[in-house]
Amino acid sequence: NQRNILMFLILATTGIRRKEVVGIKLDDIDFQNNLIYIANPKGNKKPRYVLLAEIVKNYLKDYLIERNKIAEKMYKIF
């Protein structure tokens, strides 16, 4: 399904952990600068930004449009 494909694309293109992907919120995504803010990294690591690939950004926009058609606006992406 579209959600799982998007999660895989984010994992594959950013190198972040599964827990970090699940924790992404809409406010964490900077579409203008192609960045994702990782607020709660594993261990003692500091919060950081990772690059949002253009193909993932486009897929994410399409996913959000479809998701918002069937569900109310949600704070978390997944």
Side-chain angles (χ1 to χ4, degrees), residues 43-72:
N44 295 330
K45 295 184 179 181
K46 295 180 182 178
R48 67 193 188 283
Y49 286 93
V50 295
L51 291 176
L52 175 63
E54 193 68 32
I55 191 168
V56 179
K57 181 171 90 171
N58 293 334
Y59 201 92
L60 176 59
K61 285 180 179 181
D62 292 342
Y63 166 76
L64 291 173
I65 290 168
E66 290 302 313
R67 186 195 70 174
N68 289 339
K69 286 180 184 176
I70 54 177
E72 291 183 28

Side-chain angles (χ1 to χ4, degrees), residues 21-32:
V21 171
V22 175
I24 295 173
K25 300 176 187 86
L26 284 173
D27 292 342
D28 295 336
I29 299 175
D30 181 349
F31 285 101
Q32 191 168 11

